[in-house]
Amino acid sequence: MRFDGDGETTNKPAPDILPGRACSAKTKGDITVAEDKKVMDAGQAEEQQAERAHVVKLDRPVKFEQKEYTEIDLGGLDGMTIQDAIDAQRSLLDQNEAACSLLCETTTAFAMEIAARASGLPIELFKTMPRDAGKRVQAEVLRHISKNRQNAGKVMRLEKPYYFKGEQYTEFDLSGIADMSVMQESAAENVLAREGFIIAETSFNFLYACVLASMAVNQPKELFTGLPLCDLLNLKESVKATDFFE
């Protein structure tokens, strides 16, 4: 029973919605669905952003073999390892790219070699592209191999946990390098020779850094050659740290 507008009682049930009024109430289920959709949309946006993280936009199209390129997708960089850098350095030295025997990571030839491997595109595309496009590609490669430089003295810290033969690593204590003998140094040089490297200055060689680090922690060199490519300069600089010999 309820009172109507004239003060009299009536047995009619009250309407769910009063005439002329909009219903804006949401159920708990509606809110949950909406929030879930926002989370899904945000997740998809992050995935799309990650997929485009290494896409190099070109100021002008690059023509190669009857095809135009307005961008170069270097998304493969995230799946590459230090072994890829070692293979690229060896290949370039075999091609008489003398500059790669010193600061290899700063050379145009190294960047183009890594870009070709990361993109799956022919190396000829990168060798013949205009200089401005090449500089953009080189900058992206250098940015990637330089982004994780977290060494702290004798300790090399990793950006993300790294797994090798069932073990997890977040950092490496390379202090053992200071205690290495001349015989071990010679052994490291012999590894380079067996792997096809004939160079005068070993400290610029990527494989040499891996071998020294492996000796410091008494582990196989594959522990370091399998590190993500983004740890390349992190490893190289950690091995060469001056405070090992202070």
Side-chain angles (χ1 to χ4, degrees), residues 186-207:
S186 179
E189 293 168 353
N190 288 330
V191 171
L192 296 190
R194 287 195 296 271
E195 295 280 348
F197 286 100
I198 306 298
I199 56 176
E201 179 51 65
T202 56
S203 62
F204 296 114
N205 186 272
F206 303 142
L207 177 58

Side-chain angles (χ1 to χ4, degrees), residues 171-226:
E171 61 181 31
F172 295 105
D173 183 352
L174 302 178
S175 57
I177 290 177
D179 300 321
M180 287 176 58
S181 67
V182 171
M183 185 177 295
Q184 287 174 301
E185 184 102 15
S186 179
E189 293 168 353
N190 288 330
V191 171
L192 296 190
R194 287 195 296 271
E195 295 280 348
F197 286 100
I198 306 298
I199 56 176
E201 179 51 65
T202 56
S203 62
F204 296 114
N205 186 272
F206 303 142
L207 177 58
Y208 184 75
C210 294
V211 174
L212 284 191
S214 69
M215 289 180 173
V217 299
N218 195 29
Q219 292 288 339
K221 69 179 187 299
E222 287 76 18
L223 172 63
F224 293 94
T225 59

Side-chain angles (χ1 to χ4, degrees), residues 147-148 150 157-163 169-170 228 231:
K147 74 174 185 178
N148 184 29
Q150 303 187 54
R157 293 174 179 160
L158 306 179
E159 181 184 26
K160 297 178 181 179
Y162 169 65
Y163 297 89
Y169 298 87
T170 57
D231 280 305

Side-chain angles (χ1 to χ4, degrees), residues 14-239:
D16 291 334
I17 303 174
L18 294 176
R21 291 186 181 180
C23 179
S24 60
K26 294 183 179 180
T27 67
K28 184 177 181 181
D30 292 335
I31 296 173
T32 301
V33 170
E35 290 177 346
D36 288 345
K37 187 177 185 303
K38 286 182 180 179
V39 172
M40 290 177 63
D41 290 344
Q44 290 174 352
E46 288 180 2
E47 288 179 5
Q48 291 174 356
Q49 185 175 2
E51 290 175 358
R52 304 285 294 176
H54 298 301
V55 174
V56 178
K57 295 284 187 179
L58 305 178
D59 286 337
R60 49 181 174 164
V62 172
K63 294 182 179 180
F64 179 75
E65 293 185 347
Q66 300 181 341
K67 184 176 180 180
E68 278 195 352
Y69 295 86
T70 58
E71 62 183 28
I72 303 294
D73 187 353
L74 301 179
L77 286 171
D78 288 328
M80 296 177 71
T81 67
I82 290 180
Q83 183 62 56
D84 290 298
I86 293 170
D87 294 341
Q89 188 177 41
R90 178 169 40 222
S91 175
L92 291 168
L93 290 173
D94 288 344
Q95 297 171 43
N96 295 318
E97 289 283 354
C100 293
S101 63
L102 297 175
L103 289 177
C104 183
E105 62 273 13
T106 66
T107 65
T108 302
F110 177 75
M112 300 303 106
E113 185 73 23
I114 292 296
R117 293 167 185 253
S119 65
L121 297 171
I123 186 63
E124 291 77 16
L125 164 64
F126 297 94
K127 287 184 175 181
T128 58
M129 66 171 42
R131 186 168 176 267
D132 62 331
K135 287 297 181 183
R136 284 178 175 268
V137 171
Q138 183 177 10
E140 180 59 26
V141 171
L142 189 57
R143 184 195 68 79
H144 182 71
I145 66 176
S146 305
K147 74 174 185 178
N148 184 29
R149 302 169 93 162
Q150 303 187 54
N151 57 73
K154 303 176 178 67
V155 177
M156 172 188 171
R157 293 174 179 160
L158 306 179
E159 181 184 26
K160 297 178 181 179
Y162 169 65
Y163 297 89
F164 180 78
K165 294 186 176 180
E167 294 290 330
Q168 176 181 291
Y169 298 87
T170 57
E171 61 181 31
F172 295 105
D173 183 352
L174 302 178
S175 57
I177 290 177
D179 300 321
M180 287 176 58
S181 67
V182 171
M183 185 177 295
Q184 287 174 301
E185 184 102 15
S186 179
E189 293 168 353
N190 288 330
V191 171
L192 296 190
R194 287 195 296 271
E195 295 280 348
F197 286 100
I198 306 298
I199 56 176
E201 179 51 65
T202 56
S203 62
F204 296 114
N205 186 272
F206 303 142
L207 177 58
Y208 184 75
C210 294
V211 174
L212 284 191
S214 69
M215 289 180 173
V217 299
N218 195 29
Q219 292 288 339
K221 69 179 187 299
E222 287 76 18
L223 172 63
F224 293 94
T225 59
L227 283 170
L229 183 63
C230 64
D231 280 305
L232 178 62
L233 296 190
N234 190 21
L235 172 64
K236 185 180 175 184
E237 292 174 2
S238 295
V239 167

